[in-house]
Amino acid sequence: MNLFMVFIAQHKGESVQITPEIDIDQATHAAIQQLRNESFPKHQVARSYYKQCPHLRLLAYDGDTLTGHLGLDYRRIRVGDSVLKVLGVIDFCVREQVRGTGIGSAMLTYLNQYAQSRAVDFIMLISEHETFYRKHGFQNIAAQHHWLMIHEHQNFGIGHHWLNDLWVCSIQGAPWPDGEIDWLGYLY
């Protein structure tokens, strides 16, 4: 039995689903916005995403209450001479009252299983939570990055910076290639 199924058995009423962004209704957007803004108080916005709308949403519920959220962006990126298929995690958050109960771990397990049955090389995200992501098989990558700088729906050009907070998890077992990282889009 996987971690998510154990979690469901221990927490009656919990469910997780992945939903295409285009299918998210207004009530769900409002619940995501509230959870996101509570979780990231220094980065509050009047919408359910921070920089750019994700392609998919992974949502965790306890009954009708949204307890966890993460946005997902599927794209190609370039690392050195390699082109990778990545599933990027955006705005990963769990309701404060239930943090530490295994919801975040269950969400990552569910995401990993979802990615394994699809054309995904790596799951990737940016975070300062080293212990949590190492525990879930993520590797820290420090490298030069290039990305489209977006703020409040405006393009401000290409950013070129060294970043230390990138975490990647190989889905097919391949090692992360060496080289500069071109996001071929915005930074998660």
Side-chain angles (χ1 to χ4, degrees):
M1 187 180 290
N2 68 39
L3 178 61
F4 181 70
M5 297 313 285
V6 170
F7 177 77
I8 293 297
Q10 293 173 347
H11 298 81
K12 302 277 189 229
E14 292 287 341
S15 66
V16 162
Q17 63 191 47
I18 293 180
T19 304
E21 179 64 23
I22 200 165
D23 294 336
I24 302 287
D25 62 32
Q26 284 305 108
T28 304
H29 276 291
I32 294 167
Q33 178 183 338
Q34 179 182 4
L35 176 58
R36 201 208 148 279
N37 285 340
E38 288 171 0
S39 299
F40 303 105
K42 293 181 181 178
H43 302 286
Q44 293 191 18
V45 291
R47 57 184 177 264
S48 65
Y49 59 92
Y50 186 54
K51 292 289 185 185
Q52 185 61 282
C53 200
H55 297 121
L56 303 165
R57 306 282 188 144
L58 190 152
L59 305 170
Y61 288 92
D62 180 2
D64 292 335
T65 303
L66 182 66
T67 56
H69 162 269
L70 58 85
L72 295 169
D73 186 86
Y74 181 65
R75 72 165 79 147
R76 304 302 192 270
I77 66 167
R78 178 175 287 283
V79 181
D81 293 330
S82 301
V83 175
L84 306 176
K85 296 175 292 257
V86 299
L87 195 53
V89 174
I90 307 163
D91 294 336
F92 186 4
C93 50
V94 172
R95 189 164 305 284
E96 186 174 7
Q97 300 88 327
V98 294
R99 288 182 193 152
T101 64
I103 291 172
S105 293
M107 290 171 68
L108 280 183
T109 298
Y110 188 89
L111 177 58
N112 190 289
Q113 290 172 350
Y114 175 83
Q116 289 199 17
S117 64
R118 287 160 177 83
V120 174
D121 298 318
F122 291 88
I123 296 172
M124 62 186 276
L125 56 91
I126 294 179
S127 178
E128 297 173 355
H129 298 288
E130 177 178 347
T131 303
F132 180 74
Y133 290 107
R134 280 199 196 284
K135 179 175 105 176
H136 292 286
F138 282 76
Q139 170 190 3
N140 181 242
I141 304 294
Q144 182 73 21
H145 293 251
H146 311 282
W147 70 91
L148 179 62
M149 296 187 302
I150 295 175
H151 183 69
E152 293 303 318
H153 301 111
Q154 292 183 17
N155 173 351
F156 289 91
I158 305 298
H160 305 276
H161 297 282
W162 183 270
L163 298 176
N164 297 314
D165 295 333
L166 178 66
W167 293 90
V168 301
C169 180
S170 179
I171 297 303
Q172 308 302 329
W176 185 261
D178 290 330
E180 293 186 358
I181 301 169
D182 187 341
W183 286 69
L184 302 176
Y186 72 100
L187 196 67
Y188 305 136

